[in-house]
Amino acid sequence: MAKLQPPIDYMAKDYESFRQLMLDRLSSTLPAWQERHAPDLGVTLVEALAYVADYLSYYQDAVATEAYLGTARQRISVRRHARLLDYFLHEGCNARAWVHCCVNVDNGWPVRFEPGDLIFAATNERIGAELPLLSKENLSVRPEASYEIFKPVDSEPIKLHPDHNEFTVVGPLEKDATAAKVQLRPGVVLEAGSVLMLKAAKPDTAGQSEPYLYHPVALAEGASSTKLETTETWIRWHFDDALPSYMANLKPIVALGNIILVDHGRWVSDTVPLARDLTGSSAENPIERRSGAGPLSRLSLTHRVPLAATIGSAAAMLNQNPRQAIPQISLKIDGKPWGHVRADLLESLPYDRHFCVEVDDDGRAWIRFGDGEGVGEQPAVEASVEAVYRVGNGQAGNVPAGSINRLMIEGIRLPDRMRVLADLERITVTNPMDATGGKDPRVRCLRPLDRSRRDAGSPAASYFGRRLCGIRPQRDRCRQRRCDDCT
């Protein structure tokens, strides 16, 4: 007669249940073994197996959990599911600001820089207040949380002229004005597309820390003064930059030149660790593939919208759609550049050297390559990966007015370094207005969807009867009011 086997508890899913299951089994198969003390070798083996089984059970549950949008708990899984339904779970974008550079008028010649020469630092008054310029050595002894780095957005050379520091506007100006008469010094040329910052004194400055009002405008057409004396010339700007009501009929009013658009983020370099997969048709002969790399050692990877997508008015240059933002990162595989970063690999061909970046719940960025068969080329398994990327994203870059007050130089060799240093000592910088546009990564929150307003949700939200919503304290009633992130 066959010996009865003890039943197996298939509901065992954690360490304690697996340990008890194995001890019960051993009590039936090895009744002479009664040892239960921790130092016993048999107990040690049982607990080690229960530990491994607990991990395998978690992985088994995680695969099933992350396979569906309704049950997925990891940000990367939710992002991939939503993308298949034509919905982008964005990773935020960095902040932008207008910086006014005032050139010392003692020397009349203009100052010319390459975009990579200039680095702006947003600091408090205690950091480098006694220094006209900052260097990496000055900031290396400071905690990174005490300052933020900004760089010029445009890749064109920067030219600053002392005669562009300030222009007198013949005012006052009316509401919604898109033109004004300004006094230009001899030889001054204003190009179309350049930005001026209108500045007017507040009518009542009692008890206010900032006595001025500011409004940026992008010139729709150029203006110049060719005479040998100061002349009054009309300038016209983009209609989207029409003068707001709070600056109408104020005088005196001036226009600040030498305005540079900067955005938040510093460049760093990193060697990215490997990430491998074992796949194949049989367990005896698996194929080792390189599915990706990461994570990057630094958090808060910069995402920004290309300037060409926001060109036009001064207001449009500050307004970024986070769903159009691209990670600021480049890769070198075995010392050679590796393609371009993409939002995803759905449209990549088998031989395209593309890669994408995915940010997990802890803010760590992971690099994902193609599979080498249908969506992008895959690098060799033993290849080394070097990443150059920007750090600085979200609302951390929304610094207040006047915070961007220091200049830095980087990557300039002698003798150009001495020339640039001499030029920078003639310049003082500040941001007249707050830096804006920095948005944190989209927060995943599942909320019941009001089925009477299906058009208010995304395709992903309508399909699952739930809405992926960025929750803010003042917008927690999603059925009554649409969030900015849901539009």
Side-chain angles (χ1 to χ4, degrees):
M1 183 177 181
K3 185 178 179 180
L4 294 177
Q5 299 293 332
I8 298 178
D9 183 10
Y10 291 99
M11 299 298 293
K13 299 296 290 182
D14 56 8
Y15 171 81
E16 292 294 339
S17 59
F18 281 125
R19 181 179 181 275
Q20 189 61 45
L21 175 65
M22 286 184 281
L23 289 176
D24 293 343
R25 178 72 176 181
L26 290 174
S27 297
S28 174
T29 57
L30 298 174
W33 182 67
Q34 299 293 333
E35 188 62 57
R36 293 296 183 268
H37 293 291
D40 183 74
L41 179 59
V43 175
T44 301
L45 292 175
V46 167
E47 292 179 349
L49 291 174
Y51 175 82
V52 174
D54 186 19
Y55 265 84
L56 295 176
S57 177
Y58 170 78
Y59 293 147
Q60 184 181 38
D61 291 343
V63 170
T65 300
E66 303 301 324
Y68 301 95
L69 179 59
T71 59
R73 295 181 295 177
Q74 296 184 11
R75 178 180 181 83
I76 293 178
S77 300
V78 174
R79 182 180 183 272
R80 293 179 182 179
H81 287 305
R83 180 64 188 95
L84 292 175
L85 295 167
D86 200 25
Y87 182 84
F88 289 91
L89 188 66
H90 67 73
E91 306 298 341
C93 60
N94 64 349
R96 290 182 177 179
W98 296 109
V99 173
H100 174 230
C101 300
C102 183
V103 184
N104 190 335
V105 296
D106 293 340
N107 299 315
W109 64 85
V111 181
R112 183 184 178 88
F113 300 100
E114 295 297 325
D117 296 351
L118 294 181
I119 300 177
F120 300 87
T123 68
N124 56 43
E125 293 299 329
R126 295 188 299 275
I127 300 180
E130 72 284 356
L131 300 173
L133 299 173
L134 290 179
S135 64
K136 284 188 173 181
E137 291 74 16
N138 300 135
L139 294 181
S140 62
V141 297
R142 307 286 183 176
E144 291 189 357
S146 62
Y147 63 92
E148 301 292 344
I149 298 299
F150 289 77
K151 300 201 68 174
V153 176
D154 199 352
S155 58
E156 296 296 325
I158 298 172
K159 188 176 182 179
L160 306 176
H161 200 288
D163 291 338
H164 292 193
N165 288 339
E166 184 176 290
F167 306 101
T168 301
V169 178
V170 180
L173 302 179
E174 298 181 354
K175 176 186 175 182
D176 297 331
T178 58
K181 185 179 290 187
V182 298
Q183 296 179 0
L184 300 183
R185 296 181 180 88
V188 171
V189 177
L190 298 178
E191 299 179 356
S194 59
V195 176
L196 301 179
M197 183 73 68
L198 300 181
K199 173 183 175 182
K202 292 182 179 179
D204 184 12
T205 60
Q208 299 184 21
S209 58
E210 175 54 57
Y212 297 103
L213 296 171
Y214 297 93
H215 179 65
V217 296
L219 298 185
E221 56 186 51
S224 62
S225 174
T226 57
K227 296 183 179 180
L228 299 180
E229 58 184 10
T230 300
T231 58
E232 294 183 354
T233 305
W234 281 96
I235 60 172
R236 292 174 174 80
W237 54 83
H238 200 280
F239 62 88
D240 287 340
D241 296 329
L243 192 73
S245 59
Y246 61 81
M247 291 190 67
N249 301 317
L250 295 181
K251 58 184 307 186
I253 184 170
V254 297
L256 304 179
N258 294 329
I259 301 296
I260 301 176
L261 179 64
V262 299
D263 65 352
H264 181 217
R266 74 192 74 186
W267 287 100
V268 298
S269 58
D270 193 6
T271 299
V272 187
L274 306 177
R276 300 175 179 176
D277 287 341
L278 291 177
T279 61
S281 58
S282 65
E284 294 78 11
N285 297 306
I287 300 175
E288 190 172 17
R289 297 178 179 272
R290 179 160 197 170
S291 59
L296 302 179
S297 61
R298 304 290 294 272
L299 303 179
S300 190
L301 176 66
T302 300
H303 290 69
R304 78 165 189 176
V305 178
L307 180 62
T310 60
I311 203 69
S313 64
M317 295 182 195
L318 292 179
N319 185 22
Q320 298 187 80
N321 183 354
R323 290 193 179 87
Q324 298 177 357
I326 300 174
Q328 299 298 289
I329 182 174
S330 61
L331 296 182
K332 286 187 176 181
I333 307 295
D334 288 336
K336 299 180 180 179
W338 182 270
H340 305 283
V341 62
R342 295 293 184 94
D344 53 60
L345 302 177
L346 296 179
E347 297 182 359
S348 299
L349 298 178
Y351 299 103
D352 288 338
R353 291 192 167 186
H354 296 163
F355 66 95
C356 67
V357 178
E358 298 176 321
V359 181
D360 62 16
D361 300 85
D362 297 326
R364 300 176 301 175
W366 298 77
I367 299 171
R368 184 160 61 90
F369 300 107
D371 58 4
E373 298 176 357
V375 285
E377 188 175 342
Q378 192 173 78
V381 174
E382 299 299 334
S384 62
V385 180
E386 297 179 2
V388 178
Y389 56 98
R390 290 183 75 181
V391 175
N393 200 51
Q395 297 185 12
N398 294 336
V399 297
S403 298
I404 305 177
N405 49 24
R406 294 291 180 270
L407 276 172
M408 292 176 56
I409 58 174
E410 183 179 41
I412 306 175
R413 299 180 180 179
L414 293 173
D416 290 339
R417 185 179 181 87
M418 301 305 297
R419 174 189 61 80
V420 173
L421 279 174
D423 290 338
L424 290 178
E425 289 178 351
R426 301 168 48 201
I427 301 173
T428 57
V429 300
T430 186
N431 56 315
M433 304 176 66
D434 297 345
T436 61
K439 295 183 180 180
D440 290 332
R442 178 68 177 278
V443 178
R444 177 191 177 240
C445 181
L446 290 178
R447 282 244 164 179
L449 178 68
D450 187 356
R451 296 182 179 275
S452 64
R453 293 187 58 201
R454 281 186 177 271
D455 60 329
S458 66
S462 300
Y463 182 84
F464 286 96
R466 287 176 175 268
R467 174 180 296 174
L468 286 167
C469 179
I471 296 299
R472 298 179 181 177
Q474 70 271 27
R475 296 185 179 180
D476 57 353
R477 298 186 298 274
C478 295
R479 293 187 180 185
Q480 285 75 28
R481 184 172 182 177
R482 295 172 62 183
C483 300
D484 290 341
D485 290 334
C486 289
T487 57

